[in-house]
Amino acid sequence: MTKSTKIIAALGVAAGLGIAALPAGAIFAETSISPWPMAYDGHTTEDVTVKLTIDEAIAIGVDKSECEGTGSAANGHFTLKDTGTCAMHVAGGTNGTKGVIVTEKTKTDATDYLKLAGSTTKTAQNSINAVDAAPNTTDGGWTINGGLLVNHATSSTPANVMVTQGAKQVEIPVTYSFATRGDQEAGVYSTQITYTVTSNNAAVAEGGINNASAVYPPSN
Protein backbone atom coordinates (compact mmCIF):
# COMPACT_ATOMS: atom_id res chain seq x y z
CA MET A 1 0.00 0.00 0.00
CA THR A 2 1.37 3.35 -0.94
CA LYS A 3 1.88 6.14 1.56
CA SER A 4 -0.95 8.21 0.07
CA THR A 5 -3.34 5.24 0.16
CA LYS A 6 -2.60 4.69 3.83
CA ILE A 7 -3.33 8.34 4.63
CA ILE A 8 -6.68 8.29 2.84
CA ALA A 9 -7.66 5.04 4.54
CA ALA A 10 -6.84 6.46 7.93
CA LEU A 11 -9.25 9.33 7.44
CA GLY A 12 -12.24 7.07 7.89
CA VAL A 13 -15.60 7.01 6.19
CA ALA A 14 -16.84 10.39 7.44
CA ALA A 15 -13.71 12.20 6.35
CA GLY A 16 -13.71 10.28 3.11
CA LEU A 17 -17.08 11.76 2.20
CA GLY A 18 -15.49 15.17 2.05
CA ILE A 19 -12.19 14.24 0.60
CA ALA A 20 -13.11 15.35 -2.88
CA ALA A 21 -13.72 18.89 -1.62
CA LEU A 22 -10.25 19.18 -0.12
CA PRO A 23 -7.38 20.49 -2.25
CA ALA A 24 -4.73 17.90 -2.85
CA GLY A 25 -2.16 20.09 -1.11
CA ALA A 26 -4.18 19.99 2.12
CA ILE A 27 -3.44 16.30 2.46
CA PHE A 28 0.15 16.13 1.43
CA ALA A 29 1.33 19.67 2.41
CA GLU A 30 4.64 20.05 4.22
CA THR A 31 3.84 21.45 7.70
CA SER A 32 7.36 22.56 8.63
CA ILE A 33 8.32 26.25 8.21
CA SER A 34 11.95 25.69 9.13
CA PRO A 35 14.74 26.41 6.60
CA TRP A 36 15.09 22.79 5.48
CA PRO A 37 16.59 20.88 3.89
CA MET A 38 19.94 21.60 5.44
CA ALA A 39 23.08 21.18 3.42
CA TYR A 40 25.16 18.39 4.95
CA ASP A 41 28.37 19.73 3.48
CA GLY A 42 30.53 19.70 6.58
CA HIS A 43 29.99 23.29 7.75
CA THR A 44 29.35 23.66 11.47
CA THR A 45 28.58 27.38 11.95
CA GLU A 46 26.07 29.91 10.62
CA ASP A 47 26.24 33.73 10.88
CA VAL A 48 23.07 35.76 11.44
CA THR A 49 22.99 39.56 10.99
CA VAL A 50 20.72 41.22 13.54
CA LYS A 51 19.82 44.81 12.62
CA LEU A 52 17.30 47.65 12.79
CA THR A 53 16.82 50.93 10.97
CA ILE A 54 16.30 54.31 12.65
CA ASP A 55 14.82 57.03 10.45
CA GLU A 56 16.32 60.50 10.71
CA ALA A 57 14.25 62.94 12.77
CA ILE A 58 14.39 66.58 13.86
CA ALA A 59 12.29 68.31 16.52
CA ILE A 60 11.76 71.51 18.49
CA GLY A 61 10.08 72.06 21.85
CA VAL A 62 9.20 74.83 24.30
CA ASP A 63 8.08 74.40 27.89
CA LYS A 64 5.64 77.32 27.71
CA SER A 65 3.23 78.31 24.97
CA GLU A 66 2.61 81.58 26.82
CA CYS A 67 5.19 83.50 28.82
CA GLU A 68 3.80 86.35 30.92
CA GLY A 69 6.17 88.84 32.49
CA THR A 70 6.12 89.43 36.23
CA GLY A 71 6.24 93.04 37.43
CA SER A 72 6.50 94.61 40.86
CA ALA A 73 2.78 94.70 41.73
CA ALA A 74 1.60 92.31 44.43
CA ASN A 75 -0.38 90.30 41.90
CA GLY A 76 2.62 90.07 39.57
CA HIS A 77 1.31 92.68 37.15
CA PHE A 78 3.22 95.79 36.08
CA THR A 79 2.88 99.36 37.23
CA LEU A 80 4.08 102.58 35.57
CA LYS A 81 7.88 102.88 35.12
CA ASP A 82 8.26 99.22 36.06
CA THR A 83 10.54 96.36 34.97
CA GLY A 84 10.13 92.59 34.96
CA THR A 85 10.97 89.35 33.21
CA CYS A 86 9.60 86.03 32.05
CA ALA A 87 11.73 82.88 31.69
CA MET A 88 11.21 79.71 29.67
CA HIS A 89 13.17 76.98 27.85
CA VAL A 90 13.62 76.17 24.18
CA ALA A 91 14.87 72.79 22.98
CA GLY A 92 16.01 71.47 19.63
CA GLY A 93 17.42 68.15 18.58
CA THR A 94 18.12 65.64 15.86
CA ASN A 95 19.55 62.18 15.42
CA GLY A 96 21.18 63.30 12.18
CA THR A 97 24.89 63.93 11.92
CA LYS A 98 24.57 67.59 10.88
CA GLY A 99 22.99 69.04 14.01
CA VAL A 100 20.35 71.77 14.11
CA ILE A 101 19.85 75.52 13.90
CA VAL A 102 17.07 77.02 16.03
CA THR A 103 15.88 80.47 14.98
CA GLU A 104 13.48 83.07 16.36
CA LYS A 105 11.40 85.68 14.55
CA THR A 106 8.18 87.61 14.89
CA LYS A 107 5.28 85.42 13.87
CA THR A 108 3.79 86.22 10.47
CA ASP A 109 1.07 88.90 10.80
CA ALA A 110 2.14 89.68 14.39
CA THR A 111 3.82 92.89 15.56
CA ASP A 112 7.41 93.06 16.79
CA TYR A 113 6.21 95.43 19.53
CA LEU A 114 3.96 94.37 22.40
CA LYS A 115 0.55 95.62 21.35
CA LEU A 116 -2.18 96.79 23.73
CA ALA A 117 -5.24 94.61 23.27
CA GLY A 118 -7.95 96.44 21.34
CA SER A 119 -5.69 99.16 19.97
CA THR A 120 -5.76 99.81 16.21
CA THR A 121 -3.29 102.66 15.82
CA LYS A 122 0.16 102.43 17.41
CA THR A 123 1.16 105.16 19.84
CA ALA A 124 3.96 105.49 22.39
CA GLN A 125 1.42 104.95 25.15
CA ASN A 126 -0.21 101.76 23.81
CA SER A 127 2.86 99.88 22.59
CA ILE A 128 6.10 98.46 24.02
CA ASN A 129 8.80 98.38 21.36
CA ALA A 130 11.25 95.53 20.78
CA VAL A 131 14.72 96.89 21.63
CA ASP A 132 18.29 95.68 21.15
CA ALA A 133 19.43 96.93 24.55
CA ALA A 134 18.41 96.47 28.17
CA PRO A 135 14.90 98.02 28.43
CA ASN A 136 14.61 101.21 30.46
CA THR A 137 11.61 102.89 32.07
CA THR A 138 12.14 106.15 30.22
CA ASP A 139 11.52 104.71 26.78
CA GLY A 140 9.96 101.38 27.68
CA GLY A 141 10.68 98.27 25.64
CA TRP A 142 11.18 94.53 25.63
CA THR A 143 14.05 92.28 24.58
CA ILE A 144 15.11 88.60 24.36
CA ASN A 145 18.14 86.97 26.00
CA GLY A 146 19.07 83.33 25.53
CA GLY A 147 21.59 81.27 23.62
CA LEU A 148 23.06 83.45 20.86
CA LEU A 149 20.54 86.23 21.52
CA VAL A 150 21.79 89.07 23.72
CA ASN A 151 19.31 91.92 24.18
CA HIS A 152 17.76 90.94 20.89
CA ALA A 153 14.93 92.91 19.29
CA THR A 154 12.67 90.46 17.52
CA SER A 155 11.74 91.16 13.89
CA SER A 156 10.43 89.38 10.81
CA THR A 157 14.01 88.33 10.00
CA PRO A 158 14.98 84.99 11.61
CA ALA A 159 17.82 85.19 14.14
CA ASN A 160 19.85 82.19 15.32
CA VAL A 161 19.10 81.20 18.90
CA MET A 162 21.35 78.14 19.06
CA VAL A 163 23.38 75.94 16.71
CA THR A 164 24.46 72.34 17.28
CA GLN A 165 26.49 69.77 15.42
CA GLY A 166 25.96 66.02 15.47
CA ALA A 167 23.16 63.92 16.88
CA LYS A 168 22.02 65.49 20.14
CA GLN A 169 19.13 67.23 21.90
CA VAL A 170 19.82 70.52 23.66
CA GLU A 171 17.64 72.70 25.89
CA ILE A 172 18.51 76.34 26.68
CA PRO A 173 16.97 78.98 28.95
CA VAL A 174 15.43 82.07 27.35
CA THR A 175 14.44 85.24 29.22
CA TYR A 176 12.22 88.10 28.04
CA SER A 177 12.83 91.43 29.78
CA PHE A 178 10.28 94.27 29.92
CA ALA A 179 10.10 97.93 30.95
CA THR A 180 7.05 100.21 31.02
CA ARG A 181 6.96 103.96 30.54
CA GLY A 182 5.57 106.51 32.96
CA ASP A 183 2.64 107.13 30.60
CA GLN A 184 1.93 103.53 29.61
CA GLU A 185 -1.76 102.85 29.12
CA ALA A 186 -3.38 100.14 31.24
CA GLY A 187 -4.29 96.79 29.69
CA VAL A 188 -2.85 93.56 28.34
CA TYR A 189 0.10 93.82 25.93
CA SER A 190 1.22 90.91 23.77
CA THR A 191 2.62 89.62 20.49
CA GLN A 192 3.75 86.26 19.16
CA ILE A 193 7.13 84.96 18.10
CA THR A 194 8.01 81.76 16.25
CA TYR A 195 10.83 79.35 17.04
CA THR A 196 11.89 77.13 14.13
CA VAL A 197 14.37 74.25 13.88
CA THR A 198 16.20 73.27 10.69
CA SER A 199 19.06 70.93 9.87
CA ASN A 200 22.53 72.48 10.11
CA ASN A 201 23.28 71.72 6.46
CA ALA A 202 25.88 74.50 6.19
CA ALA A 203 27.87 73.00 9.09
CA VAL A 204 27.68 76.26 11.06
CA ALA A 205 29.85 76.14 14.18
CA GLU A 206 28.08 75.35 17.43
CA GLY A 207 26.89 78.35 19.40
CA GLY A 208 24.49 79.47 22.10
CA ILE A 209 24.64 76.26 24.11
CA ASN A 210 27.22 77.12 26.77
CA ASN A 211 24.55 77.05 29.48
CA ALA A 212 22.54 74.29 27.85
CA SER A 213 21.29 71.06 29.28
CA ALA A 214 21.01 67.74 27.49
CA VAL A 215 17.77 67.09 29.35
CA TYR A 216 14.34 68.12 28.06
CA PRO A 217 11.87 68.94 29.41
CA PRO A 218 13.67 70.74 32.25
CA SER A 219 13.28 69.31 35.73
CA ASN A 220 12.13 72.61 37.18
Side-chain angles (χ1 to χ4, degrees):
M1 183 180 292
T2 65
K3 183 178 181 181
S4 60
T5 303
K6 291 179 180 179
I7 293 175
I8 293 174
L11 292 174
V13 176
L17 293 175
I19 196 70
L22 294 174
I27 301 173
F28 306 107
E30 171 63 65
T31 58
S32 173
I33 59 171
S34 300
W36 315 135
M38 294 185 297
Y40 287 88
D41 56 5
H43 79 283
T44 57
T45 63
E46 291 281 3
D47 295 330
V48 176
T49 300
V50 180
K51 70 176 184 178
L52 57 81
T53 300
I54 300 177
D55 292 334
E56 186 168 334
I58 188 171
I60 190 169
V62 294
D63 65 341
K64 291 181 180 179
S65 59
E66 182 175 287
C67 198
E68 182 173 358
T70 302
S72 63
N75 59 3
H77 293 174
F78 284 71
T79 60
L80 298 178
K81 297 182 74 67
D82 199 2
T83 60
T85 61
C86 174
M88 60 176 290
H89 294 81
V90 177
T94 183
N95 60 358
T97 59
K98 296 178 180 178
V100 300
I101 298 176
V102 174
T103 61
E104 176 279 333
K105 74 177 188 68
T106 305
K107 184 177 180 178
T108 303
D109 298 328
T111 59
D112 55 10
Y113 62 91
L114 299 178
K115 180 181 179 181
L116 176 63
S119 62
T120 56
T121 302
K122 180 184 178 183
T123 67
Q125 289 74 35
N126 67 16
S127 61
I128 301 175
N129 289 328
V131 294
D132 56 3
N136 64 75
T137 56
T138 299
D139 304 311
W142 78 286
T143 193
I144 305 173
N145 284 280
L148 294 169
L149 304 182
V150 179
N151 289 328
H152 172 70
T154 188
S155 71
S156 59
T157 302
N160 288 355
V161 180
M162 70 174 180
V163 180
T164 71
Q165 291 182 334
K168 66 179 67 175
Q169 179 173 273
V170 177
E171 166 248 317
I172 62 170
V174 174
T175 300
Y176 310 98
S177 298
F178 313 94
T180 59
R181 295 160 52 104
D183 57 357
Q184 204 83 60
E185 294 179 7
V188 177
Y189 291 73
S190 67
T191 192
Q192 286 185 300
I193 60 176
T194 299
Y195 288 99
T196 302
V197 64
T198 56
S199 179
N200 185 8
N201 294 325
V204 178
E206 284 193 332
I209 59 176
N210 291 338
N211 297 317
S213 167
V215 178
Y216 183 82
S219 58
N220 59 349

